[in-house]
Amino acid sequence: VHLYAPGNPLPNVATFNFTPASGKALASTRMRLAKTQSVIAVAEMSDGSIYKTSAEIKVTIGGCGG
């Protein structure tokens, strides 16, 4: 699973690798975003299939709506 924030100076935010030994595929992370933007998740499955989703994340100055 790869997480991207295209509006950031370094868009590749995180990469997670899962194997059958990992058990349930679950991860969490925190990221700093340069501005309001879409964050994109791309997952490559063991059979080679690829899934993609994105969410628009609103960034506010000071983090409290200021």
Side-chain angles (χ1 to χ4, degrees):
V1 177
H2 304 278
L3 295 179
Y4 300 99
N8 276 7
L10 298 173
N12 188 9
V13 175
T15 298
F16 301 98
N17 294 299
F18 301 103
T19 67
S22 301
K24 186 175 181 179
L26 179 66
S28 69
T29 190
R30 295 173 61 110
M31 65 184 79
R32 180 173 267 172
L33 299 175
K35 60 183 179 179
T36 297
Q37 61 185 288
S38 290
V39 172
I40 302 165
V42 179
E44 182 178 357
M45 311 312 260
S46 59
D47 66 0
S49 60
I50 296 176
Y51 295 90
K52 174 187 164 189
T53 191
S54 65
E56 184 76 12
I57 306 300
K58 182 178 179 184
V59 174
T60 57
I61 297 171
C64 297

